Each structure stands twice: as C-alpha cells, then as structure tokens.
Amino acid sequence: MALNILSTPIASIVDEKLVAANVKGSDFGNEWLKMHSAGSGAFKMRVYQPHQAIVLEANETSPTGAPKLKSVIIKNVPDPASVVC
C-alpha cells in the first residue's frame, strides 16, 4: 500500500475546470494529464516526448510570478550500464 502511494505519478495541484473538461469515463482526467499540462506552478509543459524529452515554458500566471528562465529542456539520457543485452 505504501509503495503504491509513494509511486503515484500524478501528485500535484491542477486546474480542476481544465481537467474536468477532459475526463474520459472514470479516469478523472489522468489519461489527458499524461500528455498535457494543467498545473499552476512556475512552468507549464509545452512538449512531451515519452522517454526522450520534456520542454517546459514559463507560466506567466503562476501565483509566485513568472520565473526568470523562459524555458527549460529536460532530456532523458539512458545510462549505458543499465542497458540489458
């Protein structure tokens, strides 16, 4: 039970109206959230390529104000030591 709670992929505050508009069945919008941003933090997701990269852009409407960086790119770099042959 504890591992399930600790490994939950979505654990953030989201815009309820935006997510509710994208609910499919009883998924609470989780399928839509895998590829879209509905948060209120300093950055919002602009591009997401699973297992490759994510591009974040400054969220001008963040409650803490816009961050100084306009965008952030996070790339997935596989560890050659962990590759299964």
Side-chain angles (χ1 to χ4, degrees):
M1 174 77 155
L3 288 176
N4 186 27
I5 293 170
L6 293 173
S7 64
T8 302
I10 299 171
S12 60
I13 299 170
V14 296
D15 181 336
E16 181 181 9
K17 291 178 183 176
L18 182 58
V19 175
N22 293 285
V23 170
K24 298 256 196 282
S26 61
D27 77 343
F28 299 105
N30 284 320
E31 191 62 34
W32 183 81
L33 281 169
K34 288 179 183 178
M35 297 297 289
H36 298 87
S37 182
S40 60
F43 292 92
K44 56 186 174 181
M45 184 171 55
R46 185 173 65 198
V47 177
Y48 175 61
Q49 298 170 330
H51 309 291
Q52 292 182 25
I54 182 169
V55 179
L56 305 173
E57 66 182 14
N59 183 1
E60 304 295 329
T61 62
S62 172
T64 58
K68 293 182 182 185
L69 293 174
K70 295 295 178 195
S71 63
V72 175
I73 300 171
I74 302 170
K75 293 183 116 185
N76 181 33
V77 180
D79 180 3
S82 66
V83 176
V84 177
C85 296

